Amino acid sequence: MNNNNLLKKGRRMGDLKYMILSVISVLTFLLIWQLLVIFGVLSTRTIAAPTQVLVTFFEKFYSTAPDGATIFTNIAVSLKVSLTGFFSAIIIGTPLGMLMGWYKPLDRFIRPLFEIIRPIPPIAWIPLTILWVGIGLGAKAMIIFFSAFVPCVINSYTGIKLTSQVHVSVAKTFGASNFKIFRTVGVPSSMPMAFAGIRIALGNSWGTLVAAELLAANAGLGYMIMMGRQFVRPDVIILGMLTIGILGFIFTWIFTKIENVVVRWRTL
Amino acid sequence: MSMEQKAGTRLIVKDVSKTFYQKKIEPHHVVDKVSLEVKDNEFLVLLGPGHCGKTVLLNIVSGLMPPDEGSVYLDGEKITKPNPKIGMVFQKLGLMPWKTVIENVEIGPKLSGINVKTRRERAEYFIDLVGLKGFENSYPHQLSGGMKQRVGIARAYTNDPEILIMDEPFGQLDAQTRYNMQNEISRISEHEKRTIIFVTNNIEEALYLGDRIILFTECPARVKEIYDIDLKRPRDMIDPEFLRLRKMISNNTDLAL
Amino acid sequence: MKKTAAYDQKRRPIKKILNSLLPFVSITCLFLLWFYASNINPDLVPSPASTWERLIQLFVKPVNKMNLFGHVWASLQRVFIALACATVLGVTVGVMIGWSKTFKAIFGTLFELIRPIPPIAWLPIIIMWFGIGEFPKILIVFIGTFMPIVVNTYTGIRLVMPLHLDVARMFNASNRQLLFEVAIPSALPPIFAGIRNATSSGWMTVLAAEMIASKAGLGFLITRGMDYFDVPLILVGMLAIGIVGALLAIITEFIERLLCPWNKKLEQD
Amino acid sequence: MPNDDVKIKVRNLTKYFGDLHVLDNISFDVKKGEFLCVVGPTGCGKTTFLNLLTKLIPPTSGELYINDEPADPKIHNISFAFQEPSAFPWLTVEQNLEFGLKIKNIPKDVIKTRVERIIKLLGLEQFRKSYPHQLSVSSEQRIIIGRSFAMYPDLLLMDEPYGQMDIKMRYYLEDEVIKLWKEFGSTVIFITHNIEEAVYLAERILILSNKPSTIKKEVVVDLPRPRDFTDPKFVEIRKYVTELIKWW
């Protein structure tokens, strides 16, 4: 038994070693970056030192330079746009995919239209949407909708197609109607796949948001980094990139928590 | 370290124990002070209910996993890592899906650096023996469950082991295929005599195949009883003596709900 | 009840015919809608005919000295170069951080920190660093393709079945043999899935890069359409983008099938 | 056999898949509360036979009557315990047991008492809120058996539900099925490859021939319960049935 505790301790020590190693690697990276800037190897006109980014971060709490808004305003604008597009894609896309997967005529009717839209990256919709709808919230939300819609549909479609035949048969022998089987068997069994789709949609919509804001916006995180470039403020650009990255990370984290609750019956 | 042994004994398992520790879960004691001996050229069946402990014991015997306590000796030598003298047919097979049948079968000699010609010949011989001639270039996913089992058996034989461990090889097969494979394995083992350690949870299968049966308890695995089976071969599953033994062993077995 | 069975069999062919007609019905509906919309506001929604005309014109009178194929090729070239580099580097990095815990501790964490930043967000700073030449665009596409390849390779290597490793270990395989004989081949399907993702992500990233700063490529073409209020040109560009995107997907899948013939999942599709 | 209490009537059941003749003119009766086993060689169209009995696929000709009406899952209570694991992974043990009852729109309090009864009989109290993947394979199979009996079915079909279990477990679960069957008085058709299992369970055994399948023979098993597989009479019936199957 003693032997075992030692083994356990050994493994923990190993984990600790790797953790220290990764902390060191990140710190080294930051340090080299800082030093390169301090000693003038990299020009402050093209890159900002990590400490400078931190300073700018606090400045942006109240300062509106150079893009005309504080960082919180920018975050709020971006969130509003992306969440509008993202949620409307889930609300429309996921049920649509499931219905298409279950009801053949619907599948036959919608599939061709969907296959036409599918290979066009959402970004390519930007010019058309700008001409049609302008550059307001609606236009950007629509572009984000396109980026999130496709994975929502595809995954819930595939998910419901993979419904186990035995489970359908069980419900059938109990005398359930087709719609009841869809509701009680098809929908729950396709949930893990549907969630996988929503996860992809989440990443897509965040990535597309940046593109939309780079091209057509007057506020938002994407707009902020674009302005950072125009006013040669590398600190603002890097701050913007980091904010986008961190927010994306937080979304994924929240989403994983929700997913774990909703599909907690999964074996994996 | 070495161990004295009686004549005719190949493998000695001495006081082997194993416990698993996981975060948040109670320690899982799976093997408890198991000692046993394997004789030369015998067909030894390890019989136990449920899924607890037997596979772990085999992994320890084969050198894939270190025991917490106790040791395993092969011909007096302590086993600390996999030994080419011991071959294994895994429960879930582990055929590599990216290799064809023959590539799967010849993997043992290939890994030990034996040249293509020799290893091909050997692989072909055993593929023929298990009755898969003509399927050399198929991929595993194109084969039925029984055929995959045959590939697993041929793969183990091709590395020319002296001791062959089979871990519930027929657990996933349907009843009829299972009967066929039981006949096949006794045919193959008659043809290519090896020391075989065969693990199963099926009493009928154990009685049909084994020279000796070691009965284990349900979790943690302990040796409960050892039976010498001297029914004549080929055995008959509805022979009264067979049924009597079956009942006796069954009554002595734990129920693993 | 006997009647029902017979009825079922009779009804089925009608249903089948109906089902096979539906796709045409939906495409027809789409076209009707298009005609209808273009009648109401021909400036915003050009008719199919004027879109077709614009396509022909694109060959007669090239935009920026390049006809449609020139622009397609300009975009494709960037994707191919970036994809080639990303595959080589991404698979190497993915295998390294998947196989060795030390590498994972050193590079994995850094990679995880950078990963949530969408590739397009790199655009402004890369333009700032390298201007608007060919290299920065390829670099952006590289970032967009590198990430999915690394992630998939890494996951593929981590998910190698322990059983497969045990099998090889039983045959006394060395650590190197475990990696090259077992881990890498078994990770090939996820690696290809990564390349497939990378291709579509690269196709999207190149458009974004071209839309922001370029004089050639399909992304440039549709922004040009926007700037000159040339809606037919936008539609032509989008069609080309869609078709090329679909072709890329088909080609990568074909290559995957060719190189991983054992992959059952693809066969069943 | 007297024809007094017939529950299920199968008449001239025939099935073609295209040109493939799978079932040929199968007719038989099952009495109310009878335990019937069906055995046959591999590939005897067993799955088709079952799917016809549960009305999952329509027959080419012939019909199945329950209480002298053509069988219809929407009217009659038909339960099917499938061979492969068929517990719904997204429902807890309790919800799985309720599933069929809810589809039949049975009142809530009735559902509750029935599910309680089943849980008690199977001794699943501690697992009531567990998901199937948290249980052992055998327990998962017991949920399915429980779910089937909870319907108070007019006809209960079982397709070799214990195929993968070891013998000890098999006998334990089979005893449990006998217990439930006696408790609920259900009419059961049990299909299996395993002749010993059939002799152990059945009051009557139907033996199917190879494709196109017909009923080759009917064997009545009138051994007292609990049965003993080493009993010479048991062995004799087992041998007899085995011989009948080996014939072709």
Side-chain angles (χ1 to χ4, degrees), chain C residues 205-221:
Chain C
T205 320
V206 80
L207 294 177
E210 288 168 354
M211 285 166 83
I212 288 165
S214 179
K215 291 269 170 282
L218 288 171
F220 158 76
L221 212 59

Side-chain angles (χ1 to χ4, degrees), chain B residues 58-66 79-83 86, chain C residues 170:
Chain B
L58 290 188
N59 282 341
I60 292 170
V61 170
S62 61
L64 283 170
M65 192 187 271
I79 289 182
T80 52
K81 63 174 176 53
N83 186 321
I86 300 178
Chain C
M170 265 323 281

Side-chain angles (χ1 to χ4, degrees), chain A residues 15 18 21-22 25-26 29 45-47 104-105 108-109 112-113 116 119-128 130-132 206-208 210-211 214-215 225-226 228-229 232-234 237-238 241-242 244-245 249, chain C residues 19-23 25-27 29-30 44-45 101-102 105-107 109-110 113 116-118 120-125 127-129 203-204 207-208 211-212 222-223 225-226 229 231 234-235 238 241-242 245-246:
Chain A
D15 284 351
Y18 291 119
L21 207 57
S22 36
S25 101
V26 174
F29 175 75
R45 285 185 61 80
T46 56
I47 194 165
K104 194 129 197 228
R108 308 281 301 177
F109 186 78
L113 307 178
I116 291 175
I120 302 177
I123 290 175
W125 287 95
I126 291 176
L128 209 57
I130 289 176
L131 290 184
W132 283 352
W206 199 234
T208 319
V210 179
L214 286 178
L215 279 157
I225 56 178
M226 206 60 183
R229 176 171 84 90
V232 197
R233 287 283 302 272
I237 300 184
I238 294 170
M241 287 170 64
L242 287 180
I244 289 166
F249 180 79
Chain C
N19 271 339
S20 61
L21 277 179
L22 272 173
V25 176
S26 77
I27 296 283
C29 284
L30 181 73
L44 278 183
V45 187
K101 276 193 172 173
T102 315
I106 297 173
F107 298 110
T109 323
L110 275 179
L113 287 177
I117 302 175
I120 298 166
W122 287 90
L123 251 170
I125 202 155
I127 293 175
M128 193 173 207
W129 287 344
W203 186 234
M204 168 158 142
L207 294 177
M211 285 166 83
I212 288 165
I222 56 174
T223 355
M226 176 174 72
F229 208 82
V231 186
I234 300 182
L235 285 184
M238 282 177 71
I241 288 166

Side-chain angles (χ1 to χ4, degrees), chain A residues 220-259:
Chain A
L221 290 167
Y223 180 71
M224 183 174 109
I225 56 178
M226 206 60 183
M227 285 300 112
R229 176 171 84 90
Q230 268 176 25
F231 291 94
V232 197
R233 287 283 302 272
D235 52 334
V236 173
I237 300 184
I238 294 170
L239 174 63
M241 287 170 64
L242 287 180
T243 317
I244 289 166
I246 290 166
L247 284 177
F249 180 79
I250 292 174
F251 282 151
T252 317
W253 183 79
I254 295 174
F255 177 79
T256 310
K257 292 279 158 203
I258 297 175
E259 187 181 16

